[in-house]
Amino acid sequence: VRADVAYSVNPAPGGPHHPVWANCGFYDAPLPEEHLVHDLEHGAVWLAYAPDLPAGDVATIRALATDHDKVIAAPFPGLGDGEAVVATAWARQLRLDSVDDPRLERFVVMYQDGGQAPEAGVTCRGTDVGQPLE
């Protein structure tokens, strides 16, 4: 779809999405959710982190996005109270109050390009949507 979508769960773990995905990597500014949902369809894991996280926690998120090819990380202003990061794959989600929770990296490893994604194995790069920080 090319219009805004009112998802019933935020961050959205699937559903209607924009025809163009965002480039995987680390971002320090929010991206349109509709593009990120398309990344999920391709097997990416989306790390939506609280915009007010301390710098050390943001560095942990950035490392995960840098160390794994199919991760896209961006701040998400709509997280619930006390949520530090929400890890999302197509039809899977893990809400955490700490980026140091060992389940975070396990989630990334388990679900990036996992069988739950309708188009696992398809790239999450090569578009004009988003320029991740290096």
Side-chain angles (χ1 to χ4, degrees):
V1 298
R2 293 194 183 271
D4 292 344
V5 176
Y7 294 105
S8 61
V9 175
N10 294 99
H17 52 272
H18 196 276
V20 180
W21 60 92
N23 292 302
C24 279
F26 175 82
Y27 294 84
D28 62 359
L31 293 167
E33 192 168 9
E34 294 80 9
H35 293 286
L36 296 167
V37 172
H38 195 153
D39 285 279
L40 301 178
E41 183 183 40
H42 287 195
V45 172
W46 171 18
L47 302 179
Y49 63 91
D52 60 351
L53 276 183
D57 289 354
V58 173
T60 298
I61 299 291
R62 188 173 186 161
L64 282 169
T66 302
D67 293 346
H68 299 277
D69 289 338
K70 295 289 284 269
V71 171
I72 188 162
F76 191 84
L79 295 186
D81 287 342
E83 289 181 326
V85 61
V86 177
T88 304
W90 189 270
R92 307 289 188 274
Q93 196 162 72
L94 177 64
R95 295 176 174 273
L96 298 171
D97 61 5
S98 171
V99 301
D100 296 324
D101 190 312
R103 294 176 294 168
L104 181 57
E105 186 166 16
R106 287 198 306 260
F107 185 96
V108 169
V109 170
M110 178 178 287
Y111 291 116
Q112 69 175 344
D113 262 344
Q116 81 289 339
E119 296 179 5
V122 175
T123 188
C124 65
R125 301 190 192 285
T127 74
D128 61 355
V129 178
Q131 292 298 322
L133 302 174
E134 295 301 326

